[in-house]
PDB file of all heavy atoms in Angstrom:
ATOM      1  N   ASN A 218       1.284   5.051  -4.907  1.00 96.00           N
ATOM      2  CA  ASN A 218       0.591   3.926  -4.281  1.00 96.00           C
ATOM      3  C   ASN A 218      -0.191   3.093  -5.289  1.00 96.00           C
ATOM      4  O   ASN A 218      -0.780   2.072  -4.925  1.00 96.00           O
ATOM      5  CB  ASN A 218      -0.374   4.431  -3.203  1.00 96.00           C
ATOM      6  CG  ASN A 218      -1.627   5.050  -3.803  1.00 96.00           C
ATOM      7  OD1 ASN A 218      -1.569   5.752  -4.815  1.00 96.00           O
ATOM      8  ND2 ASN A 218      -2.766   4.790  -3.179  1.00 96.00           N
ATOM      9  N   ASN A 219      -0.194   3.516  -6.544  1.00 96.00           N
ATOM     10  CA  ASN A 219      -0.982   2.845  -7.570  1.00 96.00           C
ATOM     11  C   ASN A 219      -0.050   2.106  -8.522  1.00 96.00           C
ATOM     12  O   ASN A 219       0.440   2.668  -9.495  1.00 96.00           O
ATOM     13  CB  ASN A 219      -1.839   3.854  -8.329  1.00 96.00           C
ATOM     14  CG  ASN A 219      -2.877   3.184  -9.198  1.00 96.00           C
ATOM     15  OD1 ASN A 219      -2.697   2.052  -9.629  1.00 96.00           O
ATOM     16  ND2 ASN A 219      -3.968   3.881  -9.443  1.00 96.00           N
ATOM     17  N   LEU A 220       0.199   0.834  -8.235  1.00 96.00           N
ATOM     18  CA  LEU A 220       1.117   0.047  -9.040  1.00 96.00           C
ATOM     19  C   LEU A 220       0.528  -0.310 -10.396  1.00 96.00           C
ATOM     20  O   LEU A 220       1.242  -0.814 -11.271  1.00 96.00           O
ATOM     21  CB  LEU A 220       1.535  -1.223  -8.302  1.00 96.00           C
ATOM     22  CG  LEU A 220       2.582  -1.058  -7.182  1.00 96.00           C
ATOM     23  CD1 LEU A 220       2.020  -0.290  -5.991  1.00 96.00           C
ATOM     24  CD2 LEU A 220       3.119  -2.408  -6.715  1.00 96.00           C
ATOM     25  N   LEU A 221      -0.756  -0.041 -10.588  1.00 96.00           N
ATOM     26  CA  LEU A 221      -1.379  -0.231 -11.894  1.00 96.00           C
ATOM     27  C   LEU A 221      -1.003   0.888 -12.847  1.00 96.00           C
ATOM     28  O   LEU A 221      -1.122   0.734 -14.070  1.00 96.00           O
ATOM     29  CB  LEU A 221      -2.904  -0.287 -11.754  1.00 96.00           C
ATOM     30  CG  LEU A 221      -3.479  -1.307 -10.772  1.00 96.00           C
ATOM     31  CD1 LEU A 221      -4.995  -1.163 -10.702  1.00 96.00           C
ATOM     32  CD2 LEU A 221      -3.082  -2.713 -11.145  1.00 96.00           C
ATOM     33  N   LEU A 222      -0.549   2.021 -12.287  1.00 94.00           N
ATOM     34  CA  LEU A 222      -0.252   3.199 -13.100  1.00 94.00           C
ATOM     35  C   LEU A 222       1.199   3.663 -13.019  1.00 94.00           C
ATOM     36  O   LEU A 222       1.704   4.247 -13.970  1.00 94.00           O
ATOM     37  CB  LEU A 222      -1.150   4.368 -12.670  1.00 94.00           C
ATOM     38  CG  LEU A 222      -2.650   4.270 -12.932  1.00 94.00           C
ATOM     39  CD1 LEU A 222      -3.347   5.488 -12.343  1.00 94.00           C
ATOM     40  CD2 LEU A 222      -2.936   4.146 -14.419  1.00 94.00           C
ATOM     41  N   ASN A 223       1.877   3.426 -11.891  1.00 93.00           N
ATOM     42  CA  ASN A 223       3.135   4.131 -11.660  1.00 93.00           C
ATOM     43  C   ASN A 223       4.286   3.674 -12.548  1.00 93.00           C
ATOM     44  O   ASN A 223       5.333   4.320 -12.568  1.00 93.00           O
ATOM     45  CB  ASN A 223       3.535   4.100 -10.178  1.00 93.00           C
ATOM     46  CG  ASN A 223       3.879   2.708  -9.663  1.00 93.00           C
ATOM     47  OD1 ASN A 223       4.099   1.769 -10.427  1.00 93.00           O
ATOM     48  ND2 ASN A 223       3.908   2.580  -8.345  1.00 93.00           N
ATOM     49  N   SER A 224       4.107   2.573 -13.279  1.00 91.00           N
ATOM     50  CA  SER A 224       5.145   2.141 -14.226  1.00 91.00           C
ATOM     51  C   SER A 224       4.568   1.815 -15.595  1.00 91.00           C
ATOM     52  O   SER A 224       5.245   1.193 -16.416  1.00 91.00           O
ATOM     53  CB  SER A 224       5.878   0.912 -13.685  1.00 91.00           C
ATOM     54  OG  SER A 224       6.539   1.201 -12.483  1.00 91.00           O
ATOM     55  N   ALA A 225       3.328   2.220 -15.832  1.00 91.00           N
ATOM     56  CA  ALA A 225       2.666   1.886 -17.091  1.00 91.00           C
ATOM     57  C   ALA A 225       3.394   2.514 -18.276  1.00 91.00           C
ATOM     58  O   ALA A 225       3.792   3.674 -18.222  1.00 91.00           O
ATOM     59  CB  ALA A 225       1.217   2.349 -17.059  1.00 91.00           C
ATOM     60  N   GLN A 226       3.581   1.729 -19.318  1.00 92.00           N
ATOM     61  CA  GLN A 226       4.243   2.186 -20.538  1.00 92.00           C
ATOM     62  C   GLN A 226       3.251   2.184 -21.696  1.00 92.00           C
ATOM     63  O   GLN A 226       3.492   1.619 -22.756  1.00 92.00           O
ATOM     64  CB  GLN A 226       5.432   1.273 -20.862  1.00 92.00           C
ATOM     65  CG  GLN A 226       6.455   1.172 -19.761  1.00 92.00           C
ATOM     66  CD  GLN A 226       7.144   2.491 -19.507  1.00 92.00           C
ATOM     67  OE1 GLN A 226       7.544   3.194 -20.443  1.00 92.00           O
ATOM     68  NE2 GLN A 226       7.299   2.830 -18.226  1.00 92.00           N
ATOM     69  N   GLY A 227       2.094   2.784 -21.463  1.00 89.00           N
ATOM     70  CA  GLY A 227       1.083   2.853 -22.513  1.00 89.00           C
ATOM     71  C   GLY A 227       0.101   1.705 -22.486  1.00 89.00           C
ATOM     72  O   GLY A 227      -0.750   1.596 -23.372  1.00 89.00           O
ATOM     73  N   GLY A 228       0.200   0.832 -21.481  1.00 92.00           N
ATOM     74  CA  GLY A 228      -0.723  -0.286 -21.375  1.00 92.00           C
ATOM     75  C   GLY A 228      -1.068  -0.550 -19.926  1.00 92.00           C
ATOM     76  O   GLY A 228      -0.746   0.243 -19.041  1.00 92.00           O
ATOM     77  N   GLU A 229      -1.737  -1.677 -19.688  1.00 94.00           N
ATOM     78  CA  GLU A 229      -2.128  -2.061 -18.346  1.00 94.00           C
ATOM     79  C   GLU A 229      -1.376  -3.319 -17.924  1.00 94.00           C
ATOM     80  O   GLU A 229      -1.135  -4.202 -18.744  1.00 94.00           O
ATOM     81  CB  GLU A 229      -3.630  -2.319 -18.280  1.00 94.00           C
ATOM     82  CG  GLU A 229      -4.492  -1.120 -18.633  1.00 94.00           C
ATOM     83  CD  GLU A 229      -5.974  -1.443 -18.593  1.00 94.00           C
ATOM     84  OE1 GLU A 229      -6.324  -2.547 -18.127  1.00 94.00           O
ATOM     85  OE2 GLU A 229      -6.760  -0.591 -19.033  1.00 94.00           O
ATOM     86  N   PRO A 230      -1.024  -3.448 -16.652  1.00 96.00           N
ATOM     87  CA  PRO A 230      -0.403  -4.686 -16.190  1.00 96.00           C
ATOM     88  C   PRO A 230      -1.395  -5.840 -16.264  1.00 96.00           C
ATOM     89  O   PRO A 230      -2.602  -5.649 -16.127  1.00 96.00           O
ATOM     90  CB  PRO A 230      -0.007  -4.376 -14.743  1.00 96.00           C
ATOM     91  CG  PRO A 230      -0.835  -3.212 -14.341  1.00 96.00           C
ATOM     92  CD  PRO A 230      -1.145  -2.452 -15.579  1.00 96.00           C
ATOM     93  N   PHE A 231      -0.884  -7.036 -16.507  1.00 96.00           N
ATOM     94  CA  PHE A 231      -1.763  -8.198 -16.571  1.00 96.00           C
ATOM     95  C   PHE A 231      -1.874  -8.835 -15.187  1.00 96.00           C
ATOM     96  O   PHE A 231      -0.979  -8.719 -14.354  1.00 96.00           O
ATOM     97  CB  PHE A 231      -1.260  -9.215 -17.601  1.00 96.00           C
ATOM     98  CG  PHE A 231       0.137  -9.734 -17.357  1.00 96.00           C
ATOM     99  CD1 PHE A 231       0.363 -10.794 -16.481  1.00 96.00           C
ATOM    100  CD2 PHE A 231       1.226  -9.188 -18.030  1.00 96.00           C
ATOM    101  CE1 PHE A 231       1.643 -11.271 -16.261  1.00 96.00           C
ATOM    102  CE2 PHE A 231       2.512  -9.666 -17.801  1.00 96.00           C
ATOM    103  CZ  PHE A 231       2.722 -10.705 -16.920  1.00 96.00           C
ATOM    104  N   GLY A 232      -3.004  -9.488 -14.939  1.00 97.00           N
ATOM    105  CA  GLY A 232      -3.205 -10.168 -13.668  1.00 97.00           C
ATOM    106  C   GLY A 232      -4.452  -9.706 -12.956  1.00 97.00           C
ATOM    107  O   GLY A 232      -5.205  -8.850 -13.443  1.00 97.00           O
ATOM    108  N   GLU A 233      -4.687 -10.281 -11.790  1.00 97.00           N
ATOM    109  CA  GLU A 233      -5.859  -9.975 -10.976  1.00 97.00           C
ATOM    110  C   GLU A 233      -5.649  -8.679 -10.191  1.00 97.00           C
ATOM    111  O   GLU A 233      -4.771  -8.593  -9.342  1.00 97.00           O
ATOM    112  CB  GLU A 233      -6.118 -11.127  -9.994  1.00 97.00           C
ATOM    113  CG  GLU A 233      -7.288 -10.918  -9.059  1.00 97.00           C
ATOM    114  CD  GLU A 233      -7.424 -12.030  -8.046  1.00 97.00           C
ATOM    115  OE1 GLU A 233      -7.070 -13.185  -8.359  1.00 97.00           O
ATOM    116  OE2 GLU A 233      -7.879 -11.752  -6.915  1.00 97.00           O
ATOM    117  N   ARG A 234      -6.439  -7.663 -10.497  1.00 98.00           N
ATOM    118  CA  ARG A 234      -6.318  -6.378  -9.806  1.00 98.00           C
ATOM    119  C   ARG A 234      -6.847  -6.483  -8.386  1.00 98.00           C
ATOM    120  O   ARG A 234      -7.818  -7.194  -8.122  1.00 98.00           O
ATOM    121  CB  ARG A 234      -7.076  -5.297 -10.575  1.00 98.00           C
ATOM    122  CG  ARG A 234      -6.496  -4.976 -11.936  1.00 98.00           C
ATOM    123  CD  ARG A 234      -7.277  -3.843 -12.579  1.00 98.00           C
ATOM    124  NE  ARG A 234      -8.630  -4.242 -12.908  1.00 98.00           N
ATOM    125  CZ  ARG A 234      -9.070  -4.506 -14.139  1.00 98.00           C
ATOM    126  NH1 ARG A 234      -8.241  -4.412 -15.166  1.00 98.00           N
ATOM    127  NH2 ARG A 234     -10.319  -4.846 -14.351  1.00 98.00           N
ATOM    128  N   MET A 235      -6.224  -5.767  -7.484  1.00 98.00           N
ATOM    129  CA  MET A 235      -6.692  -5.782  -6.099  1.00 98.00           C
ATOM    130  C   MET A 235      -6.324  -4.497  -5.393  1.00 98.00           C
ATOM    131  O   MET A 235      -5.395  -3.784  -5.779  1.00 98.00           O
ATOM    132  CB  MET A 235      -6.137  -6.991  -5.345  1.00 98.00           C
ATOM    133  CG  MET A 235      -4.638  -7.031  -5.211  1.00 98.00           C
ATOM    134  SD  MET A 235      -4.115  -8.513  -4.304  1.00 98.00           S
ATOM    135  CE  MET A 235      -2.365  -8.139  -4.106  1.00 98.00           C
ATOM    136  N   VAL A 236      -7.092  -4.215  -4.339  1.00 98.00           N
ATOM    137  CA  VAL A 236      -6.829  -3.111  -3.425  1.00 98.00           C
ATOM    138  C   VAL A 236      -6.310  -3.730  -2.131  1.00 98.00           C
ATOM    139  O   VAL A 236      -6.910  -4.655  -1.594  1.00 98.00           O
ATOM    140  CB  VAL A 236      -8.115  -2.311  -3.132  1.00 98.00           C
ATOM    141  CG1 VAL A 236      -7.841  -1.206  -2.118  1.00 98.00           C
ATOM    142  CG2 VAL A 236      -8.689  -1.742  -4.412  1.00 98.00           C
ATOM    143  N   VAL A 237      -5.183  -3.231  -1.643  1.00 98.00           N
ATOM    144  CA  VAL A 237      -4.634  -3.673  -0.359  1.00 98.00           C
ATOM    145  C   VAL A 237      -4.647  -2.464   0.565  1.00 98.00           C
ATOM    146  O   VAL A 237      -4.050  -1.427   0.254  1.00 98.00           O
ATOM    147  CB  VAL A 237      -3.203  -4.218  -0.497  1.00 98.00           C
ATOM    148  CG1 VAL A 237      -2.631  -4.588   0.868  1.00 98.00           C
ATOM    149  CG2 VAL A 237      -3.183  -5.425  -1.424  1.00 98.00           C
ATOM    150  N   SER A 238      -5.339  -2.576   1.691  1.00 98.00           N
ATOM    151  CA  SER A 238      -5.496  -1.444   2.582  1.00 98.00           C
ATOM    152  C   SER A 238      -5.533  -1.915   4.029  1.00 98.00           C
ATOM    153  O   SER A 238      -5.810  -3.085   4.313  1.00 98.00           O
ATOM    154  CB  SER A 238      -6.794  -0.686   2.242  1.00 98.00           C
ATOM    155  OG  SER A 238      -6.941   0.469   3.047  1.00 98.00           O
ATOM    156  N   GLY A 239      -5.248  -1.002   4.926  1.00 97.00           N
ATOM    157  CA  GLY A 239      -5.289  -1.323   6.343  1.00 97.00           C
ATOM    158  C   GLY A 239      -4.836  -0.138   7.168  1.00 97.00           C
ATOM    159  O   GLY A 239      -4.711   0.981   6.662  1.00 97.00           O
ATOM    160  N   LYS A 240      -4.565  -0.406   8.451  1.00 97.00           N
ATOM    161  CA  LYS A 240      -4.086   0.618   9.359  1.00 97.00           C
ATOM    162  C   LYS A 240      -2.745   0.217   9.951  1.00 97.00           C
ATOM    163  O   LYS A 240      -2.480  -0.968  10.168  1.00 97.00           O
ATOM    164  CB  LYS A 240      -5.085   0.848  10.498  1.00 97.00           C
ATOM    165  CG  LYS A 240      -6.335   1.596  10.087  1.00 97.00           C
ATOM    166  CD  LYS A 240      -7.160   1.995  11.314  1.00 97.00           C
ATOM    167  CE  LYS A 240      -8.332   2.868  10.922  1.00 97.00           C
ATOM    168  NZ  LYS A 240      -9.063   3.375  12.108  1.00 97.00           N
ATOM    169  N   VAL A 241      -1.916   1.221  10.209  1.00 95.00           N
ATOM    170  CA  VAL A 241      -0.693   1.031  10.979  1.00 95.00           C
ATOM    171  C   VAL A 241      -0.993   1.492  12.399  1.00 95.00           C
ATOM    172  O   VAL A 241      -1.419   2.637  12.609  1.00 95.00           O
ATOM    173  CB  VAL A 241       0.484   1.805  10.377  1.00 95.00           C
ATOM    174  CG1 VAL A 241       1.732   1.642  11.245  1.00 95.00           C
ATOM    175  CG2 VAL A 241       0.757   1.325   8.956  1.00 95.00           C
ATOM    176  N   LEU A 242      -0.770   0.595  13.370  1.00 94.00           N
ATOM    177  CA  LEU A 242      -1.128   0.852  14.758  1.00 94.00           C
ATOM    178  C   LEU A 242       0.061   0.628  15.678  1.00 94.00           C
ATOM    179  O   LEU A 242       0.983  -0.132  15.344  1.00 94.00           O
ATOM    180  CB  LEU A 242      -2.263  -0.093  15.187  1.00 94.00           C
ATOM    181  CG  LEU A 242      -3.506  -0.123  14.298  1.00 94.00           C
ATOM    182  CD1 LEU A 242      -4.376  -1.311  14.658  1.00 94.00           C
ATOM    183  CD2 LEU A 242      -4.282   1.176  14.426  1.00 94.00           C
ATOM    184  N   ASP A 243       0.046   1.278  16.841  1.00 90.00           N
ATOM    185  CA  ASP A 243       1.053   0.956  17.849  1.00 90.00           C
ATOM    186  C   ASP A 243       0.513  -0.160  18.746  1.00 90.00           C
ATOM    187  O   ASP A 243      -0.577  -0.697  18.524  1.00 90.00           O
ATOM    188  CB  ASP A 243       1.455   2.199  18.648  1.00 90.00           C
ATOM    189  CG  ASP A 243       0.336   2.773  19.509  1.00 90.00           C
ATOM    190  OD1 ASP A 243      -0.704   2.093  19.700  1.00 90.00           O
ATOM    191  OD2 ASP A 243       0.483   3.905  19.997  1.00 90.00           O
ATOM    192  N   ARG A 244       1.257  -0.511  19.773  1.00 87.00           N
ATOM    193  CA  ARG A 244       0.892  -1.648  20.605  1.00 87.00           C
ATOM    194  C   ARG A 244      -0.426  -1.448  21.352  1.00 87.00           C
ATOM    195  O   ARG A 244      -1.066  -2.412  21.772  1.00 87.00           O
ATOM    196  CB  ARG A 244       2.006  -1.938  21.611  1.00 87.00           C
ATOM    197  CG  ARG A 244       2.146  -0.878  22.698  1.00 87.00           C
ATOM    198  CD  ARG A 244       3.218  -1.249  23.706  1.00 87.00           C
ATOM    199  NE  ARG A 244       4.551  -1.057  23.157  1.00 87.00           N
ATOM    200  CZ  ARG A 244       5.666  -1.435  23.791  1.00 87.00           C
ATOM    201  NH1 ARG A 244       5.587  -2.033  24.965  1.00 87.00           N
ATOM    202  NH2 ARG A 244       6.843  -1.210  23.241  1.00 87.00           N
ATOM    203  N   TRP A 245      -0.841  -0.200  21.516  1.00 91.00           N
ATOM    204  CA  TRP A 245      -2.087   0.108  22.222  1.00 91.00           C
ATOM    205  C   TRP A 245      -3.262   0.283  21.263  1.00 91.00           C
ATOM    206  O   TRP A 245      -4.355   0.654  21.677  1.00 91.00           O
ATOM    207  CB  TRP A 245      -1.913   1.355  23.080  1.00 91.00           C
ATOM    208  CG  TRP A 245      -0.856   1.181  24.129  1.00 91.00           C
ATOM    209  CD1 TRP A 245      -0.954   0.460  25.296  1.00 91.00           C
ATOM    210  CD2 TRP A 245       0.469   1.706  24.089  1.00 91.00           C
ATOM    211  NE1 TRP A 245       0.232   0.508  25.987  1.00 91.00           N
ATOM    212  CE2 TRP A 245       1.130   1.268  25.277  1.00 91.00           C
ATOM    213  CE3 TRP A 245       1.177   2.491  23.190  1.00 91.00           C
ATOM    214  CZ2 TRP A 245       2.453   1.597  25.566  1.00 91.00           C
ATOM    215  CZ3 TRP A 245       2.496   2.820  23.465  1.00 91.00           C
ATOM    216  CH2 TRP A 245       3.113   2.374  24.642  1.00 91.00           C
ATOM    217  N   GLY A 246      -3.019   0.067  19.978  1.00 92.00           N
ATOM    218  CA  GLY A 246      -4.083   0.206  18.991  1.00 92.00           C
ATOM    219  C   GLY A 246      -4.289   1.609  18.496  1.00 92.00           C
ATOM    220  O   GLY A 246      -5.290   1.900  17.832  1.00 92.00           O
ATOM    221  N   HIS A 247      -3.354   2.517  18.800  1.00 94.00           N
ATOM    222  CA  HIS A 247      -3.466   3.895  18.335  1.00 94.00           C
ATOM    223  C   HIS A 247      -2.981   4.000  16.886  1.00 94.00           C
ATOM    224  O   HIS A 247      -1.909   3.471  16.550  1.00 94.00           O
ATOM    225  CB  HIS A 247      -2.633   4.830  19.211  1.00 94.00           C
ATOM    226  CG  HIS A 247      -3.064   4.828  20.647  1.00 94.00           C
ATOM    227  ND1 HIS A 247      -2.180   4.997  21.690  1.00 94.00           N
ATOM    228  CD2 HIS A 247      -4.281   4.666  21.212  1.00 94.00           C
ATOM    229  CE1 HIS A 247      -2.829   4.950  22.832  1.00 94.00           C
ATOM    230  NE2 HIS A 247      -4.110   4.748  22.573  1.00 94.00           N
ATOM    231  N   PRO A 248      -3.716   4.669  16.019  1.00 95.00           N
ATOM    232  CA  PRO A 248      -3.284   4.826  14.624  1.00 95.00           C
ATOM    233  C   PRO A 248      -2.007   5.644  14.526  1.00 95.00           C
ATOM    234  O   PRO A 248      -1.777   6.564  15.325  1.00 95.00           O
ATOM    235  CB  PRO A 248      -4.465   5.551  13.970  1.00 95.00           C
ATOM    236  CG  PRO A 248      -5.183   6.218  15.094  1.00 95.00           C
ATOM    237  CD  PRO A 248      -5.013   5.336  16.292  1.00 95.00           C
ATOM    238  N   GLN A 249      -1.191   5.313  13.543  1.00 94.00           N
ATOM    239  CA  GLN A 249       0.093   5.969  13.357  1.00 94.00           C
ATOM    240  C   GLN A 249       0.110   6.747  12.034  1.00 94.00           C
ATOM    241  O   GLN A 249       0.347   6.187  10.969  1.00 94.00           O
ATOM    242  CB  GLN A 249       1.220   4.926  13.368  1.00 94.00           C
ATOM    243  CG  GLN A 249       1.318   4.131  14.663  1.00 94.00           C
ATOM    244  CD  GLN A 249       1.644   5.018  15.851  1.00 94.00           C
ATOM    245  OE1 GLN A 249       2.747   5.543  15.967  1.00 94.00           O
ATOM    246  NE2 GLN A 249       0.667   5.199  16.736  1.00 94.00           N
ATOM    247  N   PRO A 250      -0.167   8.054  12.076  1.00 94.00           N
ATOM    248  CA  PRO A 250      -0.157   8.860  10.852  1.00 94.00           C
ATOM    249  C   PRO A 250       1.271   9.182  10.410  1.00 94.00           C
ATOM    250  O   PRO A 250       2.213   9.133  11.206  1.00 94.00           O
ATOM    251  CB  PRO A 250      -0.900  10.126  11.270  1.00 94.00           C
ATOM    252  CG  PRO A 250      -0.619  10.239  12.740  1.00 94.00           C
ATOM    253  CD  PRO A 250      -0.560   8.841  13.261  1.00 94.00           C
ATOM    254  N   GLY A 251       1.426   9.522   9.145  1.00 92.00           N
ATOM    255  CA  GLY A 251       2.709   9.980   8.630  1.00 92.00           C
ATOM    256  C   GLY A 251       3.774   8.920   8.529  1.00 92.00           C
ATOM    257  O   GLY A 251       4.959   9.232   8.465  1.00 92.00           O
ATOM    258  N   VAL A 252       3.366   7.647   8.492  1.00 93.00           N
ATOM    259  CA  VAL A 252       4.328   6.550   8.376  1.00 93.00           C
ATOM    260  C   VAL A 252       4.553   6.233   6.898  1.00 93.00           C
ATOM    261  O   VAL A 252       3.590   6.120   6.126  1.00 93.00           O
ATOM    262  CB  VAL A 252       3.820   5.304   9.121  1.00 93.00           C
ATOM    263  CG1 VAL A 252       4.711   4.093   8.839  1.00 93.00           C
ATOM    264  CG2 VAL A 252       3.754   5.567  10.619  1.00 93.00           C
ATOM    265  N   LEU A 253       5.798   6.102   6.499  1.00 94.00           N
ATOM    266  CA  LEU A 253       6.127   5.746   5.118  1.00 94.00           C
ATOM    267  C   LEU A 253       6.055   4.229   4.951  1.00 94.00           C
ATOM    268  O   LEU A 253       6.721   3.486   5.676  1.00 94.00           O
ATOM    269  CB  LEU A 253       7.527   6.239   4.753  1.00 94.00           C
ATOM    270  CG  LEU A 253       8.071   5.794   3.397  1.00 94.00           C
ATOM    271  CD1 LEU A 253       7.231   6.352   2.253  1.00 94.00           C
ATOM    272  CD2 LEU A 253       9.538   6.211   3.243  1.00 94.00           C
ATOM    273  N   ILE A 254       5.235   3.777   4.011  1.00 96.00           N
ATOM    274  CA  ILE A 254       5.122   2.355   3.688  1.00 96.00           C
ATOM    275  C   ILE A 254       5.599   2.147   2.261  1.00 96.00           C
ATOM    276  O   ILE A 254       5.127   2.812   1.337  1.00 96.00           O
ATOM    277  CB  ILE A 254       3.676   1.860   3.826  1.00 96.00           C
ATOM    278  CG1 ILE A 254       3.159   2.073   5.250  1.00 96.00           C
ATOM    279  CG2 ILE A 254       3.585   0.379   3.451  1.00 96.00           C
ATOM    280  CD1 ILE A 254       1.729   1.628   5.434  1.00 96.00           C
ATOM    281  N   GLU A 255       6.521   1.237   2.092  1.00 96.00           N
ATOM    282  CA  GLU A 255       6.988   0.840   0.770  1.00 96.00           C
ATOM    283  C   GLU A 255       6.683  -0.640   0.576  1.00 96.00           C
ATOM    284  O   GLU A 255       6.823  -1.430   1.511  1.00 96.00           O
ATOM    285  CB  GLU A 255       8.483   1.084   0.623  1.00 96.00           C
ATOM    286  CG  GLU A 255       8.870   2.550   0.734  1.00 96.00           C
ATOM    287  CD  GLU A 255      10.368   2.771   0.625  1.00 96.00           C
ATOM    288  OE1 GLU A 255      11.134   1.991   1.235  1.00 96.00           O
ATOM    289  OE2 GLU A 255      10.772   3.724  -0.053  1.00 96.00           O
ATOM    290  N   ILE A 256       6.245  -1.009  -0.619  1.00 97.00           N
ATOM    291  CA  ILE A 256       5.994  -2.416  -0.921  1.00 97.00           C
ATOM    292  C   ILE A 256       6.754  -2.806  -2.176  1.00 97.00           C
ATOM    293  O   ILE A 256       7.059  -1.977  -3.026  1.00 97.00           O
ATOM    294  CB  ILE A 256       4.493  -2.722  -1.097  1.00 97.00           C
ATOM    295  CG1 ILE A 256       3.903  -2.000  -2.316  1.00 97.00           C
ATOM    296  CG2 ILE A 256       3.724  -2.386   0.179  1.00 97.00           C
ATOM    297  CD1 ILE A 256       2.485  -2.451  -2.661  1.00 97.00           C
ATOM    298  N   TRP A 257       7.087  -4.085  -2.259  1.00 97.00           N
ATOM    299  CA  TRP A 257       7.631  -4.647  -3.492  1.00 97.00           C
ATOM    300  C   TRP A 257       7.150  -6.076  -3.624  1.00 97.00           C
ATOM    301  O   TRP A 257       6.922  -6.770  -2.642  1.00 97.00           O
ATOM    302  CB  TRP A 257       9.145  -4.530  -3.568  1.00 97.00           C
ATOM    303  CG  TRP A 257       9.945  -5.278  -2.535  1.00 97.00           C
ATOM    304  CD1 TRP A 257      10.545  -6.485  -2.681  1.00 97.00           C
ATOM    305  CD2 TRP A 257      10.281  -4.829  -1.210  1.00 97.00           C
ATOM    306  NE1 TRP A 257      11.224  -6.844  -1.531  1.00 97.00           N
ATOM    307  CE2 TRP A 257      11.074  -5.838  -0.612  1.00 97.00           C
ATOM    308  CE3 TRP A 257       9.978  -3.681  -0.472  1.00 97.00           C
ATOM    309  CZ2 TRP A 257      11.573  -5.731   0.690  1.00 97.00           C
ATOM    310  CZ3 TRP A 257      10.468  -3.580   0.823  1.00 97.00           C
ATOM    311  CH2 TRP A 257      11.251  -4.592   1.384  1.00 97.00           C
TER     312      TRP A 257
END
């Protein structure tokens, strides 16, 4: 989940660092644990 580290080749990525976070919910607002999230 840490794109600042998961492909680092001895350095740091350039750009504005940020944390992206939130909840996955169903239609009734119930939290959904164990959901796989992939980003690109």
Side-chain angles (χ1 to χ4, degrees):
N218 75 321
N219 192 334
L220 283 68
L221 306 177
L222 293 176
N223 66 15
S224 298
Q226 303 295 315
E229 299 178 9
F231 58 84
E233 178 185 329
R234 294 183 293 255
M235 63 180 188
V236 177
V237 176
S238 183
K240 286 190 174 186
V241 177
L242 307 167
D243 66 13
R244 70 177 75 187
W245 299 285
H247 299 147
Q249 300 297 291
V252 172
L253 173 64
I254 301 179
E255 297 178 317
I256 65 171
W257 64 98

